[in-house]
C-alpha cells in the first residue's frame, strides 16, 4: 500500500487523465447550485493510498480512511465513510480482482472519497433517474445502494483504463469541538425540570461503601454526609428486578461504565426514582472507585446519552419518499431466509461498521445459562462453531452478556471474553440481543489493537443489535421448530428399529448406525456386564470406514470413561488428548526425532485418526432399570463442537437405546437359561445297539424352543435289552416340556427297576394325574428291544393313544406293528397290555408323533395313508435315509412353517453279514 497526504492544495478535478473521459454519471440529493458550490470548494487536504488485490486490503483500506478522517477531526462521518469504502474496495480487490486506489479529499463542506479500479469493462449501469439495482447479494451493486442510502452525493466516472466511484459526505452543522448536539427547539418541547436541577455526586470505594456525598445529594435525599459515608450504597438503593437481567447494584458498580434507572430511599423512607451514570476510575495510588452522578428520573435528559439516529434521511429515501427500514440498511435487502445466512451477514456487517478485525454472534440456550457460538468472521470458525460459553456462572464467566460492555485490553483482563482467548484480539465491544427483556444472544466486534472502542461504538452496535434481535429470534425459533420435528421423526424411527430386534449385537450395531452421521462423526459403545465389571468397548463406528480400525485401536489403549449415572452429556477429553500424543510421536519419528517404532501404521493413518477424534467428544450414560449398563460416546472431528439441540436429541436416543439394549440382554440371558434347561430334557447321545440301526429326527415348534411337547428316548435297560419311547404331551412350549421331562425320567427309572411295559405306563399315568392342574394328556409308544443272534430283533410294545408304529417289510408292504390303547393322564385305572413284534433282517419300524401325520396344507392333511405311501418308497434304505425321506416329505407337503412339534424314530434290522 502506498499513501500520500497533501494538505492545503488548490482545488483540482478528480483524477485528471490524458484520455478523454466518458460521460460522468452522478446522482445526489443536492440541487445544481449545490453541485457547483461543491465543485468550486477549496480542497484543504488530500490523502491517497493504493491497495493490492488481496482480501486483507479491505480491512487496511477501512483503517486508512478511519485514521485519515479522525486526523482531520471528522469523527461524525467516519462510520459512514468506512462502511462505503469497505464495500467499494471489496468490489475492486475481491470481485474485480484489481488493485484499488483510494483518494480522500477534504473541503470546506465535507469529504469526498474516490475509489478507482482498473477493470472498466465492469461498467455500472447508472442513470440520472432512479433505477432498480437488484439484489444486494449479487456480485456488484451493493456498494452503490449504500452510497444512495448514506451519501449526500455520489457518482461514477470511468475511462478506458480506470473506473472510479466517488461519494461526498457533508459535515453536520455543529460548533467546533461539540461532541454531540441537537437542533434548536421551541421552549415547550424542551425536557421538563424543577426550578433548579440538582446533580448528586456520590463516590463509592472498592468495597461498595460511600466515601463522598455532595450538597445536591443531601438536598435530594435528605441525608447529611455523616449519615451515609461509610455505608454501602446497596443499603439505600432500591434496585429494580427487571426480567431478563440478573445484574444488581453491586455488579453495576464494578463495571467500567453503567447508565440506567433505579431508586434511592430518602431519609423519610420514600423511594426517589433517579437516573444514574456510573464511571469506574482509579486514583494515583491505583485504588479503584466508582463515581455516580444521579438526577431525578424525570430529569434524565441531563445525563442520558443521546440515542444514536441512523445516518441518512430517516424520514424518507430517494424521490419516492418511502421510509427506510433500519434493519434493511444494516443487513441489506432482501435479508437471508436461513438463520445461518442471517447470522453470518450480521457479523460481517458489524465488523465493517466498527472497522474490526473480527466479529462473532452467540445465541443463548433456552435456560439462558450458556451462549453458543453460531457465526463468526476473522476467527477460526471451525474451532469456534457451536462452542458453548457460560453466561455468568463458573470460572468462564461471560460477565458482559446481559449489557453492553467495552474491553480496552483483553490482555489485562484474561478470560473476560473466553471466546477470544488465544486469537490475538486485544479490544472488544459486546452487546446483548434481547427480545421482550429476555436475553437471546450476544454480538461482539474485536480488534487486534488495544483501546480501539469506546462507549459510543457500544451504543452504535447496540442500536444495530436491537434492530436485528427480533429477526434473529424469529429465524432461530423457525430453525428450532424444524429441528424438533426432525428430531421427533428420528426418535420414532429409532424406536421402531430398536424395538424390532432382541439380539444384543444387532442392537449395538443399530445404536451406532443411527447416530452416524445424523448426530456425530464417530461413535463408540461401551457395555458393562455387571456392577463389578469394567466398561468394555463393544462397538466402534465412523462415517469413514477406513478410519474405524485406527479409531478402535486408539480407544482400546485409553481407559474407558467413568460409568456415572448422571443424565445428560459430559465432555470426555481423553480421546482427543491421546490422538494428539500419538500424532505427535508419529510426526517426530518421521523426522527422526523420536524412538523408532517396531510396528507402525504410518504417519498418514495416525494423523487421520487424530483428526477424526480431535473435536469435542461427549459421553452419555446408558441407564436402564436404575443401573448403568454402558456408555454411548459421540465425537466430532478436529475443532468441531456439538450444538445443544443435538446433545438433547442424543440424550433422548440414549434412553431408548439403553432400554432396548437391556431388553436384548435380558432376552439373551433368559434364552440361554431356557435352552440349557431344554437341552437337559433331551436324552444324551443314543447308545449303539449291535445289529440294529437307529435314527432320530426331532423338531420343536416355536422360535428358540429346543424341546416341546414331543419327546423320544432310547436307553439300555440291562444286558442285551433296550427301552425306547416316543410320545406327545398335549400342547407345546415350556409347560409341555415339563411333562416331557417327567415322562422320560420316569420311564428310565421304572424300566431299570425291572417293570414290564404295561406296569411302567400305568405308574407313569398315576404320576401324571398326581400333578393336578399341571397335568397334561400324554400319548406314548413304549417298547423294549432284544436283538437276536440270527440277525432279527424282538420288540414288546405298548401303544397308549399314540399313532401306531409302522412296519416296512423287505417286499415293500407296510402294516401297523401294534394296536391302539387308551392315552395317559385321563383315567386313573388303566389296563394296558403289550404286544410282541419280530423284525426280520431288512425290516424297518417307523415311529412318529402326530405332528407328522397331521401336517396340513389348507384342507389337506398328510395323515396315516400319506405316511404309509411315503414309507413304501423306502425299501432298502438305511434307518437314517428312511427318517430323512419322511421329514423331507413332511416339509414339502406344506409351505408354511410347522405349527406342532415333530419326532421321528426309525429302527432297521440290517441282518447278519457273512464273510
Amino acid at each position: 500500500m502506498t499513501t500520500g497526504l497533501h494538505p492545503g492544495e488548490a482545488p483540482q478535478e478528480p483524477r485528471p487523465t490524458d484520455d478523454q473521459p466518458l460521460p460522468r454519471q452522478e446522482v445526489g440529493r443536492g440541487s445544481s447550485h449545490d453541485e457547483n458550490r461543491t465543485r468550486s470548494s477549496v480542497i484543504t487536504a488530500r490523502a491517497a493510498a493504493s491497495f493490492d488485490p488481496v482480501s486483507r486490503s479491505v480491512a487496511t483500506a477501512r483503517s486508512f480512511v478511519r485514521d485519515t478522517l479522525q486526523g482531520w477531526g471528522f469523527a461524525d462521518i467516519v462510520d459512514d465513510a468506512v462502511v462505503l469504502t469497505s464495500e467499494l474496495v471489496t468490489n475492486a480487490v475481491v470481485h474485480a480482482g484489481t488493485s484499488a486506489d483510494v483518494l480522500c479529499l477534504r473541503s470546506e463542506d465535507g469529504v469526498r472519497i474516490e475509489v478507482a479500479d482498473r477493470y472498466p469493462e465492469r461498467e455500472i449501469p447508472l442513470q440520472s433517474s432512479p433505477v432498480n439495482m437488484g439484489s444486494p447479494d449479487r456480485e456488484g451493486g451493493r456498494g452503490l445502494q449504500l452510497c444512495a442510502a448514506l451519501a449526500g452525493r455520489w457518482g461514477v466516472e470511468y475511462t478506458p483504463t480506470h473506473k472510479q466511484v466517488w461519494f461526498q459526505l457533508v459535515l453536520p452543522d455543529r460548533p467546533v469541538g461539540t461532541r454531540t448536539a441537537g437542533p434548536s427547539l421551541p421552549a415547550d418541547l424542551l425536557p421538563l425540570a424543577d426550578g433548579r436541577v440538582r446533580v448528586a455526586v456520590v463516590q463509592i470505594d472498592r468495597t461498595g461503601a460511600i466515601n463522598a456525598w455532595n450538597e445536591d445529594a443531601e438536598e435530594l435525599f435528605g441525608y447529611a454526609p455523616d449519615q451515609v459515608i461509610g455505608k454501602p450504597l446497596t443499603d439505600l438503593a432500591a434496585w429494580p428486578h427487571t426480567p431478563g437481567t440478573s445484574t444488581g447494584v453491586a455488579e453495576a458498580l464494578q463495571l467500567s461504565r453503567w447508565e440506567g434507572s433505579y431508586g434511592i430511599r430518602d431519609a423519610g423512607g420514600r423511594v426517589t426514582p433517579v437516573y444514574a451514570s456510573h464511571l469506574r476510575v482509579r486514583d494515583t495510588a491505583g485504588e479503584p472507585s466508582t463515581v455516580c452522578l444521579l438526577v431525578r428520573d424525570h430529569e434524565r435528559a441531563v445525563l442520558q446519552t443521546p440515542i444514536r439516529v441512523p445516518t441518512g434521511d430517516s424520514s424518507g429515501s430517494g424521490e419516492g419518499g418511502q421510509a427506510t427500514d433500519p434493519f434493511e440498511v444494516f443487513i441489506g435487502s432482501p435479508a437471508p431466509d436461513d438463520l445461518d445466512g442471517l447470522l453470518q451477514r450480521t457479523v460481517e456487517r458489524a465488523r465493517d461498521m466498527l472497522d474490526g478485525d473480527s466479529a462473532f454472534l452467540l445465541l443463548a440456550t433456552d435456560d439462558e445459562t450458556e451462549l453458543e457460538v453460531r457465526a463468526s468472521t476473522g476467527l477460526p470458525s471451525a474451532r469456534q462453531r457451536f462452542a458453548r460459553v457460560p453466561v455468568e456462572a463458573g470460572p468462564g464467566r461471560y460477565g458482559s452478556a446481559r449489557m453492553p460492555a467495552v474491553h480496552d485490553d483483553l490482555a489485562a483482563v484474561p478470560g473476560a471474553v473466553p471466546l477470544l482467548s488465544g486469537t490475538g484480539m486485544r479490544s472488544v465491544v459486546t452487546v446483548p440481543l434481547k427480545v421482550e427483556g429476555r436475553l437471546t444472544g450476544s454480538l461482539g466486534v474485536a480488534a487486534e489493537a488495544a483501546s480501539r472502542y469506546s462507549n459510543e461504538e457500544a451504543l452504535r452496535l447496540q442500536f444495530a443489535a436491537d434492530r436485528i434481535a427480533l429477526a434473529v429470534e424469529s429465524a432461530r425459533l423457525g430453525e428450532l421448530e424444524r429441528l424438533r420435528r426432525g428430531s421427533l421423526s428420528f426418535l420414532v424411527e429409532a424406536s421402531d428399529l430398536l424395538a424390532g430386534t432382541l439380539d444384543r449385537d444387532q442392537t449395538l450395531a443399530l445404536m451406532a448406525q443411527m447416530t452416524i452421521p445424523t448426530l456425530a462423526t464417530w461413535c463408540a459403545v461401551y457395555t458393562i456386564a455387571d456392577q463389578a465389571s469394567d466398561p468394555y468397548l463393544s462397538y466402534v463406528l465412523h462415517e469413514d470406514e477406513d478410519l474405524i480400525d485406527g479409531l478402535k485401536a486408539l480407544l482400546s489403549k485409553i481407559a474407558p470413561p467413568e460409568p456415572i449415572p448422571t443424565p445428560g452429556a459430559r465432555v470426555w477429553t481423553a480421546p482427543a488428548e491421546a490422538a494428539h500424543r500419538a500424532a505427535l510421536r508419529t510426526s517426530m519419528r518421521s523426522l527422526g526425532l523420536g524412538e523408532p517404532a517396531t510396528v507402525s501404521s504410518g504417519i498418514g493413518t495416525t494423523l487421520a485418526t487424530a483428526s477424526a477424534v480431535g473435536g469435542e467428544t461427549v459421553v452419555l450414560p446408558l441407564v436402564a432399570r436404575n443401573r448403568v449398563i454402558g456408555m454411548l460416546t459421540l465425537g466430532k472431528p478436529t475443532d468441531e463442537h456439538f450444538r445443544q439441540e443435538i446433545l438433547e436429541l442424543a440424550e433422548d436416543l440414549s434412553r431408548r437405546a439403553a432400554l432396548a439394549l437391556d431388553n436384548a440382554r435380558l432376552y439373551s440371558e433368559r434364552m440361554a437359561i431356557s435352552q440349557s434347561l431344554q437341552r437337559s430334557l433331551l436324552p444324551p447321545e443314543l447308545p449303539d445297539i449291535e445289529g440294529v440301526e437307529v435314527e432320530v429326527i426331532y423338531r420343536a415348534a416355536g422360535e428358540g424352543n429346543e424341546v416341546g411337547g414331543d419327546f423320544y428316548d432310547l436307553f439300555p435297560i440291562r444286558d442285551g435289552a433296550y427301552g425306547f419311547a416316543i410320545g406327545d404331551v398335549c400342547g407345546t412350549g415350556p409347560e409341555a416340556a415339563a411333562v416331557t421331562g417327567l415322562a422320560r425320567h420316569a420311564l428310565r427309572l421304572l424300566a431299570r427297576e425291572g417293570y414290564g411295559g404295561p406296569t411302567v405306563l400305568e405308574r407313569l399315568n398315576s404320576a401324571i394325574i398326581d400333578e393336578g392342574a399341571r397335568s397334561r394328556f400324554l400319548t406314548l409308544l413304549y417298547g423294549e428291544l432284544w436283538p437276536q443272534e440270527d440277525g432279527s430283533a424282538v420288540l414288546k410294545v405298548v401303544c397308549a393313544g399314540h399313532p401306531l408304529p409302522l412296519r416296512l417289510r423287505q417286499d415293500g408292504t407296510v402294516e401297523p406293528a401294534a394296536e391302539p390303547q387308551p392315552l395317559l393322564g385321563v383315567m386313573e385305572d388303566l389296563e394296558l397290555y403289550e404286544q410282541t413284534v419280530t423284525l426280520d433282517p431288512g425290516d424297518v419300524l417307523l415311529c412318529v408323533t402326530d405332528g407328522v401325520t397331521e401336517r396340513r396344507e389348507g384342507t389337506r392333511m398328510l395323515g396315516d395313508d400319506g405316511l404309509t405311501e411315503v414309507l413304501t418308497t423306502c425299501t432298502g434304505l438305511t434307518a437314517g435315509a428312511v427318517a430323512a425321506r419322511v421329514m423331507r416329505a413332511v416339509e414339502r407337503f406344506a409351505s408354511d412353517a410347522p405349527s406342532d412339534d415333530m419326532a421321528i424314530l426309525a429302527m432297521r434290522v440290517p441282518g447278519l453279514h457273512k464273510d
Side-chain angles (χ1 to χ4, degrees):
M1 179 188 79
T2 59
T3 62
L5 183 65
H6 312 283
E9 289 191 0
Q12 299 180 14
E13 287 293 330
R15 304 238 177 239
T17 178
D18 295 336
D19 300 322
Q20 291 297 324
L22 297 175
R24 184 201 333 247
Q25 297 180 347
E26 180 176 320
V27 295
R29 299 187 182 90
S31 63
S32 59
H33 172 73
D34 294 332
E35 296 177 11
N36 294 333
R37 183 174 60 83
T38 302
R39 293 183 60 83
S40 62
S41 298
V42 175
I43 297 177
T44 58
R46 176 195 301 266
S50 297
F51 302 93
D52 296 330
V54 294
S55 58
R56 183 61 185 169
S57 295
V58 179
T60 309
R62 290 198 301 266
S63 299
F64 164 70
V65 172
R66 179 179 292 277
D67 294 343
T68 299
L69 297 190
Q70 287 181 340
W72 289 348
F74 294 160
D76 292 309
I77 61 173
V78 163
D79 298 325
D80 294 340
V82 167
V83 169
L84 296 178
T85 302
S86 178
E87 291 292 340
L88 298 179
V89 173
T90 298
N91 289 339
V93 303
V94 176
H95 300 314
T98 74
S99 59
D101 299 328
V102 179
L103 174 65
C104 300
L105 301 174
R106 183 182 70 184
S107 67
E108 299 169 347
D109 301 323
V111 172
R112 173 182 170 118
I113 297 180
E114 302 172 357
V115 178
D117 63 46
R118 296 174 176 81
Y119 197 61
E121 291 83 358
R122 293 194 44 167
E123 298 180 0
I124 303 176
L126 297 180
Q127 301 175 0
S128 58
S129 59
V131 295
N132 181 10
M133 289 179 282
S135 169
D137 296 324
R138 64 180 185 174
E139 288 285 316
R142 187 169 62 186
L144 303 182
Q145 285 186 309
L146 289 176
C147 288
L150 301 179
R153 297 175 62 251
W154 64 281
V156 180
E157 300 174 358
Y158 45 92
T159 70
T161 59
H162 288 79
K163 179 178 86 269
Q164 171 185 295
V165 182
W166 61 271
F167 59 89
Q168 178 120 6
L169 298 175
V170 180
L171 294 176
D173 188 12
R174 298 177 182 172
V176 176
T178 301
R179 179 177 178 274
T180 182
S184 300
L185 294 175
D188 56 348
L189 297 181
L190 296 176
L192 182 63
D194 290 344
R196 175 189 170 191
V197 176
R198 297 185 181 275
V199 180
V201 180
V202 182
Q203 192 159 0
I204 313 298
D205 63 19
R206 68 185 309 164
T207 66
I210 300 171
N211 61 11
W213 187 266
N214 72 342
E215 294 181 359
D216 281 356
E218 181 178 358
E219 184 67 25
L220 282 174
F221 309 122
Y223 298 105
D226 58 353
Q227 293 179 284
V228 295
I229 290 180
K231 293 184 177 180
L233 180 64
T234 54
D235 291 351
L236 305 180
W239 193 262
H241 295 283
T242 306
T245 176
S246 63
T247 304
V249 63
E251 288 80 5
L253 292 174
Q254 298 299 317
L255 299 175
S256 59
R257 286 184 181 273
W258 186 89
E259 187 175 318
S261 299
Y262 53 92
I264 297 292
R265 295 183 183 88
D266 60 20
R270 295 182 300 273
V271 175
T272 301
V274 298
Y275 192 85
S277 175
H278 299 175
L279 176 65
R280 190 80 165 158
V281 297
R282 60 185 174 91
D283 59 20
T284 54
E287 187 71 14
S289 61
T290 303
V291 177
C292 305
L293 305 181
L294 302 95
V295 298
R296 297 182 182 92
D297 189 64
H298 66 271
E299 298 171 344
R300 64 170 56 199
V302 176
L303 299 179
Q304 187 173 28
T305 301
I307 299 177
R308 178 180 173 85
V309 178
T311 305
D313 187 1
S314 60
S315 61
S317 175
E319 298 176 359
Q322 297 179 352
T324 302
D325 185 350
F327 172 80
E328 292 187 355
V329 170
F330 181 73
I331 293 297
S333 179
D337 295 332
D338 62 302
L339 176 61
D340 290 338
L342 177 62
L343 299 183
Q344 194 61 36
R345 177 84 64 84
T346 297
V347 295
E348 291 172 357
R349 292 299 174 84
R351 177 201 60 191
D352 294 347
M353 183 177 72
L354 297 189
D355 190 23
D357 296 306
S358 64
F360 53 89
L361 193 148
L362 302 88
L363 293 185
T365 55
D366 290 340
D367 57 4
E368 299 180 22
T369 60
E370 289 184 314
L371 295 170
E372 189 175 65
V373 180
R374 291 300 303 271
S376 64
T377 181
L379 297 174
S381 57
R383 175 172 66 88
Q384 304 292 356
R385 186 166 171 80
F386 297 123
R388 289 174 298 281
V389 181
V391 174
E392 290 180 316
R397 171 188 167 97
Y398 197 94
S400 59
R402 298 186 184 277
M403 60 181 60
V406 177
H407 298 273
D408 290 333
D409 192 352
L410 293 177
V413 193
V417 184
L419 178 65
L420 300 180
S421 299
T423 61
M425 300 298 158
R426 295 284 299 278
S427 56
V428 60
V429 53
T430 61
V431 297
L433 275 67
K434 291 187 177 182
V435 175
E436 298 179 351
R438 183 173 60 87
L439 178 69
T440 60
S442 179
L443 176 63
V445 178
E448 295 176 352
S451 302
R452 280 285 300 275
Y453 303 112
S454 64
N455 285 349
E456 183 177 355
E457 280 80 13
L459 291 174
R460 293 182 57 238
L461 190 61
Q462 184 67 71
F463 176 84
D466 292 342
R467 267 66 186 166
I468 66 169
L470 186 59
V472 169
E473 180 67 3
S474 177
R476 187 186 74 88
L477 292 177
E479 180 194 66
L480 188 60
E481 179 64 21
R482 290 190 295 271
L483 182 61
R484 285 176 177 170
R485 289 182 180 179
S487 299
L488 289 176
S489 300
F490 173 78
L491 290 175
V492 168
E493 182 179 357
S495 299
D496 289 342
L497 290 173
L498 291 172
T501 178
L502 287 173
D503 181 81
R504 177 182 176 276
D505 293 338
Q506 189 174 0
T507 302
L508 288 173
L510 284 174
M511 288 172 57
Q513 291 167 5
M514 285 185 296
T515 61
I516 308 299
T518 305
L519 303 182
T521 305
W522 63 269
C523 169
V525 183
Y526 291 85
T527 56
I528 303 175
D530 52 61
Q531 295 182 355
S533 302
D534 294 328
Y536 174 74
L537 182 62
S538 298
Y539 201 91
V540 176
L541 186 65
H542 193 283
E543 63 180 6
D544 185 352
E545 294 183 357
D546 295 337
L547 298 178
I548 294 178
D549 292 338
L551 178 59
K552 185 182 298 183
L554 175 69
L555 294 177
S556 63
K557 295 177 182 178
I558 62 178
E562 289 294 327
I564 301 175
T566 305
R570 70 181 191 274
V571 177
W572 186 33
T573 59
E577 294 171 354
H580 176 74
R581 292 192 297 268
L584 182 61
R585 288 194 300 268
T586 304
S587 299
M588 294 181 66
R589 291 191 196 106
S590 68
L591 298 174
L593 302 178
E595 298 179 359
T598 56
V599 179
S600 175
S601 59
I603 185 172
T605 304
T606 305
L607 295 180
T609 303
S611 177
V613 300
E616 188 176 37
T617 302
V618 296
V619 178
L620 297 104
L622 298 175
V623 181
R625 298 174 176 90
N626 298 322
R627 188 175 73 88
V628 180
I629 63 171
M631 284 88 71
L632 177 63
T633 303
L634 304 178
K636 287 282 190 179
T638 300
D639 296 337
E640 289 194 20
H641 296 262
F642 288 96
R643 58 185 305 175
Q644 186 64 31
E645 293 84 355
I646 294 298
L647 293 180
E648 293 173 358
L649 180 58
E651 186 177 355
D652 285 340
L653 175 64
S654 68
R655 287 195 291 267
R656 290 165 169 79
L659 188 59
L661 183 60
D662 199 46
N663 288 339
R665 177 187 63 84
L666 292 174
Y667 178 79
S668 299
E669 290 178 357
R670 293 179 181 179
M671 180 61 67
I673 294 172
S674 174
Q675 291 175 347
S676 177
L677 291 175
Q678 290 183 65
R679 282 191 292 270
S680 70
L681 300 177
L682 294 174
E685 294 182 359
L686 298 178
D688 292 330
I689 303 176
E690 186 177 356
V692 179
E693 296 175 0
V694 180
E695 181 66 26
V696 175
I697 295 179
Y698 183 84
R699 301 284 175 84
E703 182 180 357
N705 290 333
E706 294 190 16
V707 176
D710 291 5
F711 68 96
Y712 68 93
D713 201 1
L714 180 63
F715 56 91
I717 299 176
R718 49 191 172 272
D719 291 343
Y722 297 87
F724 66 91
I726 183 168
D728 183 2
V729 179
C730 177
T732 59
E735 295 83 1
V739 179
T740 296
L742 172 64
R744 194 174 66 80
H745 291 294
L747 288 176
R748 286 194 171 214
L749 178 63
L750 294 172
R752 287 171 177 172
E753 288 293 326
Y755 295 104
T759 304
V760 170
L761 268 61
E762 288 168 1
R763 295 200 174 194
L764 176 60
N765 179 65
S766 299
I768 294 174
I769 292 176
D770 289 343
E771 290 291 308
R774 294 183 299 176
S775 65
R776 298 247 174 171
F777 303 152
L778 171 63
T779 67
L780 179 63
L781 172 64
Y782 173 75
E784 296 179 357
L785 169 68
W786 288 271
Q788 302 299 307
E789 293 181 358
D790 60 357
S792 63
V794 176
L795 293 82
K796 293 182 179 181
V797 297
V798 179
C799 186
H802 198 77
L804 300 178
L806 299 178
R807 176 182 181 180
L808 171 65
R809 295 182 182 274
Q810 283 187 317
D811 59 3
T813 60
V814 177
E815 60 184 9
E819 296 177 354
Q821 299 183 61
L823 54 78
L824 307 181
V826 179
M827 298 179 293
E828 294 184 3
D829 296 328
L830 288 179
E831 294 184 3
L832 304 174
Y833 58 92
E834 63 183 8
Q835 296 174 274
T836 302
V837 179
T838 300
L839 296 181
D840 297 325
D843 289 353
V844 175
L845 184 70
L846 177 66
C847 309
V848 300
T849 59
D850 61 4
V852 174
T853 57
E854 294 179 0
R855 177 71 164 150
R856 295 180 180 275
E857 174 70 19
T859 59
R860 296 187 308 118
M861 185 172 71
L862 179 63
D864 295 334
D865 294 340
L867 180 61
T868 300
E869 184 179 349
V870 174
L871 187 57
T872 57
T873 65
C874 297
T875 304
L877 298 181
T878 64
V882 171
R885 178 169 293 187
V886 171
M887 178 55 72
R888 189 162 54 249
V890 172
E891 291 175 341
R892 292 177 178 177
F893 187 80
S895 57
D896 297 336
S899 59
D900 195 4
D901 305 327
M902 292 186 294
I904 301 174
L905 172 61
M907 293 184 291
R908 178 177 180 268
V909 180
L912 295 176
H913 298 280
K914 296 180 180 180
D915 296 334

